[in-house]
Amino acid sequence: MQQSKNLQRLLRALSRHGLQVNYENRTYSVSLQSVNAATAEVLLPEGFPVEAKAFKQLANLANIRHPGGGCVTHTCATPDFHPGDAGVAIGSVVQTKGMVIPAAVGSDINCGMRSHVVDLTLEQFLQKRDRFVELMKGDYFFGTRDVTMTAKTSRALFQYGIPGWLDEMLDTPTGSFVKSNFDQLSGEIDRVYLGGSMNGAIKWAPEELIPDEGVVRDGGLGTIGGGNHFVEIQVVEAVEDRATAYLWGVREGQLAFTIHSGSRNVGKYIGGMWRDLAKAAWPKGYPYPDYRLFPLSVEANPELVRNYLEAEATAANYGFINRLLLAELLRLRLREVYGDIEAPLVYDLPHNITLGEKRITHGKLTKEDLWVTRKGACPAHFGQPVIIPGSMGATSYLVVGKGNQAFCSSASHGAGRLKSRFEMSRRGAIHTEEDLGLIGVDCITLREERRIEEAPAAYKPIQPVIDIQVEAGMVSVVAKLKPILTFKG
DNA sequence: ATGTGC
């Protein structure tokens, strides 16, 4: 098979890091010489360079094991694969047995996507666009909407996620704007991954957010955040799977909105705390794992593993509710400006999280200390809705999972970065709308450099990234969402 | 990812 220069360079880089690669039918099957004999599955779009550093990080991840028991059993790289700052490549999926690696999820716990459709045409939307934008700028950037809650409600948020938080909210004097739409919010719980509820615990939350009594005013809740996070108004441009789109309530020509955000400072706090705790628990006398990705062993330290998963769940619950509030703020303003329109949830899912994996062993569904950590990768179980954004200002895809076992039922979480933020923002670099790939997209932000750093031109084109995942049987396309207006934190 | 850093 004829191979491009990029590909040859890539294969050499892979072999330097102990990865042996077969390239066939546009997919790479990779055998990985890791101490754990872990397998690897790598899927990359042709014609785009992938940094050797990302593969070094993948090989390193596959080699992690705990002296007290626990190892990596399988790794994957999704086609938006690129190096990560914290030693783990974005687009990595890692399956572990008998251990978890807190640093593999890192700080951005339950970063994820949420999409709604809106019964409004583009023309109707544009007529009152200015008023709507001013109201949203207030809510997202200046906190005009009061999202205070009682101490009890805030504690329920961390412990139970969406359902427990909603129940508690109903009984408190605060949060009137959530209570006013309680029935719809409750009815949408089954369209959130895991019902928006994980087994958290109050004690892992930042102290100032869990007082014994009184009121909590959390400036982080209902905010977009930085990096690649955004909230975007879109149009359902094309429906490619009519039956599934109908089931999900998605129709061509409708307006839609999509949210990309996570657990903000709470994830940073909990992720950072456990990076330190995992280091402190590393057995004395053993060399540190590269990039300091310290695992926690079930056999050596069952309590620590339980606590970490509980702490991660605590931040994840906050992430689910942050996205819910971002959506609810927007939905309320839509109704305020455009009348009593429907804007139902399509789906909400995380792409940065550790989940216990159920396996079928001897015909029985079991959980045997086996986890899958997805770092910038979506779960994509059979029939499950998946939201894959390109970047802000680029087409987002609603796809349906195919449960591809080689990829631990996963899909990419985006297109993958092509140019660093620094590269985009340096002086003399391209700045016209055309060069940024932002033609016809209205970017609302308080900081102009964000518009440049996160422009579509900083990312790979999304289409080949989707195509190769369809070919590999990971997902199939349901609908495409074309951006109109982006709120950028 | 993070009221970040070049």
Side-chain angles (χ1 to χ4, degrees):
Chain A
M1 172 169 301
Q2 211 180 2
Q3 293 172 347
S4 69
K5 264 197 177 148
N6 276 336
L7 186 57
Q8 287 169 16
R9 234 189 343 258
L10 174 64
L11 298 182
R12 280 200 301 274
L14 288 168
S15 72
R16 273 203 302 278
H17 297 298
L19 295 127
Q20 289 168 347
V21 184
N22 291 311
Y23 179 75
E24 224 175 304
N25 299 328
R26 296 185 66 190
T27 69
Y28 302 78
S29 100
V30 178
S31 61
L32 215 154
Q33 297 165 347
S34 77
V35 294
N36 301 317
T39 49
E41 199 73 34
V42 177
L43 183 69
L44 299 168
E46 249 180 305
F48 294 97
V50 173
E51 300 87 335
K53 189 181 174 188
F55 287 102
K56 193 180 171 206
Q57 291 178 340
L58 184 71
N60 176 53
L61 195 61
N63 275 309
I64 294 173
R65 66 185 310 152
H66 196 289
C71 64
V72 172
T73 49
H74 187 56
T75 58
C76 319
T78 56
D80 55 347
F81 196 54
H82 62 279
D85 298 338
V88 183
I90 318 301
S92 298
V93 180
V94 55
Q95 185 191 61
T96 56
K97 188 179 167 67
M99 69 175 197
V100 291
I101 311 166
V105 170
S107 289
D108 192 15
I109 300 167
N110 190 7
C111 183
M113 304 297 304
R114 169 181 269 251
S115 287
H116 289 242
V117 286
V118 184
D119 267 337
L120 209 61
T121 64
L122 177 59
E123 289 68 32
Q124 289 170 320
F125 172 74
L126 291 176
Q127 276 168 18
K128 297 177 180 174
R129 174 250 178 231
D130 293 355
R131 183 162 162 237
F132 171 74
V133 167
E134 281 316 302
L135 291 168
M136 288 318 304
K137 273 166 82 173
D139 287 350
Y140 283 165
F141 303 147
F142 305 115
T144 43
R145 184 71 69 162
D146 186 8
V147 288
T148 54
M149 56 187 78
T150 62
K152 211 176 160 203
T153 314
S154 182
R155 293 162 77 92
L157 178 160
F158 290 111
Q159 193 169 2
Y160 304 116
I162 293 174
W165 171 75
L166 272 177
D167 279 349
E168 197 57 56
M169 193 67 116
L170 202 57
D171 292 330
T172 70
T174 56
S176 60
F177 76 99
V178 172
K179 284 194 276 190
S180 67
N181 200 26
F182 180 83
D183 289 345
Q184 181 169 32
L185 288 167
S186 303
E188 287 175 340
I189 284 173
D190 63 355
R191 297 184 190 187
V192 181
Y193 198 81
L194 301 172
S197 177
M198 296 183 72
N199 296 316
I202 296 159
K203 66 178 171 185
W204 302 116
E207 225 168 297
E208 65 273 20
L209 300 182
I210 47 165
D212 290 332
E213 52 191 17
V215 166
V216 176
R217 188 180 298 272
D218 177 5
L221 213 47
T223 59
I224 299 170
N228 53 2
H229 292 177
F230 62 79
V231 175
E232 197 153 81
I233 308 287
Q234 304 148 315
V235 171
V236 180
E237 184 187 39
V239 166
E240 296 189 9
D241 174 349
R242 297 181 75 85
T244 307
Y246 179 82
L247 277 175
W248 295 358
V250 177
R251 290 196 312 275
E252 208 162 300
Q254 265 181 316
L255 211 66
F257 64 88
T258 291
I259 292 164
H260 184 183
S261 188
S263 54
R264 312 285 288 108
N265 270 323
V266 172
K268 186 191 185 230
Y269 169 78
I270 292 176
M273 177 201 299
W274 277 91
R275 183 195 54 220
D276 298 344
L277 288 171
K279 183 185 173 206
W282 184 248
K284 304 276 172 284
Y286 289 90
Y288 284 180
D290 279 353
Y291 295 108
R292 303 192 162 199
L293 306 178
F294 298 102
L296 297 168
S297 161
V298 174
E299 213 180 309
N301 244 322
E303 194 64 21
L304 274 181
V305 172
R306 251 197 311 276
N307 283 340
Y308 171 67
L309 292 170
E310 195 180 65
E312 202 197 316
T314 305
N317 285 337
Y318 186 91
F320 281 126
I321 289 165
N322 187 41
R323 285 195 294 276
L324 179 147
L325 280 169
L326 284 164
E328 194 55 17
L329 293 171
L330 198 151
R331 185 152 64 178
L332 272 160
R333 295 303 190 188
L334 280 176
R335 286 181 177 149
E336 188 178 332
V337 174
Y338 298 97
D340 194 16
I341 50 164
E342 290 296 318
L345 175 63
V346 177
Y347 207 64
D348 181 305
L349 83 163
H351 52 227
N352 217 33
I353 202 155
T354 305
L355 298 165
E357 187 171 68
K358 294 188 180 73
R359 299 231 101 190
I360 296 167
T361 315
H362 306 303
K364 273 170 68 184
L365 206 56
T366 58
K367 269 172 100 171
E368 37 162 0
D369 290 345
L370 203 60
W371 288 274
V372 171
T373 294
R374 294 183 179 87
K375 172 76 173 179
C378 296
H381 301 288
F382 187 82
Q384 176 217 305
V386 181
I387 305 160
I388 306 180
S391 66
M392 79 159 192
T395 301
S396 290
Y397 281 75
L398 297 178
V399 303
V400 59
K402 292 288 176 190
N404 186 325
Q405 290 303 299
F407 289 88
C408 299
S409 294
S410 307
S412 85
H413 85 313
R417 194 172 264 285
L418 210 52
K419 291 179 181 158
S420 71
R421 282 166 198 148
F422 176 63
E423 217 176 320
M424 289 302 289
S425 64
R426 80 177 152 210
R427 237 172 305 177
I430 49 172
H431 282 148
T432 70
E433 281 204 351
E434 191 177 2
D435 290 336
L436 290 173
L438 268 173
I439 290 178
V441 183
D442 205 357
C443 183
I444 313 295
T445 179
L446 298 183
R447 302 174 72 174
E448 178 63 11
E449 66 265 34
R450 293 283 176 269
R451 204 174 72 90
I452 294 158
E453 290 169 1
E454 293 300 322
Y459 289 81
K460 288 200 281 259
I462 182 69
Q463 185 71 53
V465 171
I466 297 289
D467 287 346
I468 196 172
Q469 294 182 86
V470 172
E471 276 179 47
M474 293 157 82
V475 299
S476 77
V477 176
V478 175
K480 289 159 82 163
L481 308 175
K482 186 184 150 206
I484 301 300
L485 188 151
T486 304
F487 295 99
K488 190 77 196 86

